[in-house]
Amino acid sequence: MTSPVGLHRVVEPAGVLPQAAWRLDADPRIGSNEVRIRVERLNLDAASFRQLSEKHGGDGDKVRAEVLEIISTRGKMQNPVTGSGGMLIGTVDEAGRRSPLGLRPGDRVATLVSLTLTPLVILDGLARWDGRSEQVPCDGYAILFARSIAAVLPADLHPELSLAVLDVCGAPALTARVVAELVQRRQRDGDPRRVRVAVVGGAGKSGSLSLAAARRAGAGRTVGVVPVPAERDALVAAGLADVVALADARDPVGLSTAVTTALGAPADVTVVCVDVPGCEHGAILATEDGGTVIFFSMATSFAGAALGAEGLAADVTMLVGNGYVPGHAELALELLRAEPGVRRLFEARLAAD
């Protein structure tokens, strides 16, 4: 039987897991515990797409060419600058007889593991993609391992909408867990203080879902932080936060001041969902001693976060959002269905793309 974590697909360097590998073997022939997906659309990670777009000055043809080069060279989609990839949707083409994923040929699925560890081949040269959006229509195939995760696409949602939600489904699930645990601890201790939550990048995909999840988990007061008036207006209209604040997340003092002013005190939980680097120190400064910072952005410098917390003498717990929490896909899709504000933000983003 082939390796359940895909070690047999690693070409170089030997001895590492697929995510850490420079190049994977994307041979379409599958092992007995693998699944082959016929790919119809990729969703590039926001940090990766931003880096590529800025590098090429918004030239879609150059972005498309570089994405093709990355995939053909590496056998997977992993931006060599950001280290991030994205996810995909497609149809199960073949499932090995010993695959534990429970998928059958014909199932339309979204992968819930990163493209950075998914063997991938593109067959159509991305001819239908203009290089100007995170979602990439395509034809190709991908391989899932026994330890991969995939979700069958719901029949009641458009596939593009499902893909956008499932791409960030780890964020609301972990936010809900952290907030709910803090709420329960305060109730158990007889602490009457309401839990204060700040979501930096609150109008984005992961940010809007995280705001909705925090409120549902019992947060007493929430603030969504956005960088420009247009996003402020959209988030106010969505009604997902008690307060919406304008601040540049890369300005530590400005971000901290905006959060503290909006909440009346630093946040108990700060969730970072922006796709630009340099937001670590502001998030730490905006968080109460003893509080928690959750980093979901692939643009985060975790060394910078650790050293920044030390330099600020900040007693905060810092969590890396790894994209997986049991039940994360179901929670995110249910939030989309139940929260009209979340759905409007997602649909507006897809329309703009």
Side-chain angles (χ1 to χ4, degrees):
M1 185 183 295
T2 51
S3 166
V5 296
L7 288 172
H8 60 290
R9 292 278 181 174
V10 173
V11 176
E12 60 174 312
V16 302
L17 291 170
Q19 196 279 331
W22 176 253
R23 185 158 61 97
L24 299 180
D25 176 7
D27 190 317
R29 293 172 296 181
I30 62 170
S32 61
N33 62 354
E34 294 182 317
V35 173
R36 185 175 63 250
I37 305 294
R38 190 73 182 206
V39 182
E40 62 186 68
R41 187 172 292 267
L42 309 178
N43 193 107
L44 299 183
D45 170 76
S48 175
F49 177 72
R50 177 187 287 270
Q51 185 274 326
L52 291 167
S53 184
E54 290 179 349
K55 174 183 177 180
H56 296 295
D59 187 323
D61 291 337
K62 292 182 179 178
V63 172
R64 181 174 62 243
E66 181 161 356
V67 170
L68 279 170
E69 175 66 19
I70 291 170
I71 295 171
S72 64
T73 300
R74 306 195 64 175
K76 59 178 179 175
M77 178 56 210
Q78 184 173 27
N79 184 319
V81 175
T82 64
S84 54
M87 57 177 291
L88 62 84
I89 59 174
T91 301
V92 176
D93 199 25
E94 183 181 0
R97 68 185 185 281
R98 294 184 178 178
S99 170
L101 302 186
L103 301 176
R104 298 176 297 178
D107 285 344
R108 293 192 74 198
V109 299
T111 59
L112 301 180
V113 291
S114 175
L115 294 176
T116 63
L117 56 82
T118 304
L120 175 66
V121 169
I122 297 299
L123 301 174
D124 65 350
L126 303 181
R128 291 175 289 138
W129 183 46
D130 63 6
R132 292 185 170 88
S133 66
E134 296 171 8
Q135 291 212 5
V136 184
C138 62
D139 181 33
Y141 60 81
I143 306 298
L144 300 183
F145 312 132
R147 287 286 295 271
S148 298
I149 315 167
V152 176
L153 292 173
D156 63 319
L157 298 175
H158 193 282
E160 292 181 26
L161 184 57
S162 295
L163 179 60
V165 173
L166 294 173
D167 179 47
V168 295
C169 63
L174 184 55
T175 298
R177 173 191 284 177
V178 171
V179 172
E181 288 176 351
L182 180 54
V183 169
Q184 291 165 10
R185 183 162 66 249
R186 288 188 175 176
Q187 290 175 342
R188 185 173 61 248
D189 296 342
D191 186 340
R193 291 178 300 163
R194 299 187 301 168
V195 173
R196 304 178 301 271
V197 177
V199 177
V200 186
K205 295 191 298 182
S206 58
S208 59
L209 283 167
S210 295
L211 280 168
R215 178 178 287 175
R216 180 171 295 195
R221 187 165 176 80
T222 59
V223 56
V225 183
V226 295
V228 294
E231 291 192 14
R232 176 195 60 197
D233 296 344
L235 189 53
V236 168
L240 299 175
D242 295 306
V243 186
V244 179
L246 271 176
D248 185 339
R250 297 166 296 185
D251 174 2
V253 175
L255 178 60
S256 175
T257 300
V259 169
T260 301
T261 299
L263 295 177
D268 298 302
V269 179
T270 300
V271 187
V272 182
C273 296
V274 293
D275 58 1
V276 295
C279 304
E280 300 85 10
H281 295 176
I284 294 165
L285 202 59
T287 307
E288 186 78 76
D289 276 353
T292 300
V293 184
I294 309 174
F295 292 106
F296 280 107
S297 171
M298 290 296 100
T300 300
S301 166
F302 298 106
L307 293 172
E310 178 187 53
L312 293 167
D315 178 22
V316 294
T317 298
M318 295 185 291
L319 301 179
V320 179
N322 70 355
Y324 176 68
V325 175
H328 60 338
E330 295 82 0
L331 173 65
L333 291 170
E334 199 279 326
L335 286 171
L336 180 82
R337 295 184 180 103
E339 299 285 348
V342 170
R343 185 159 189 158
R344 286 198 300 271
L345 287 172
F346 269 80
E347 290 176 339
R349 186 183 182 97
L350 288 173
D353 287 344

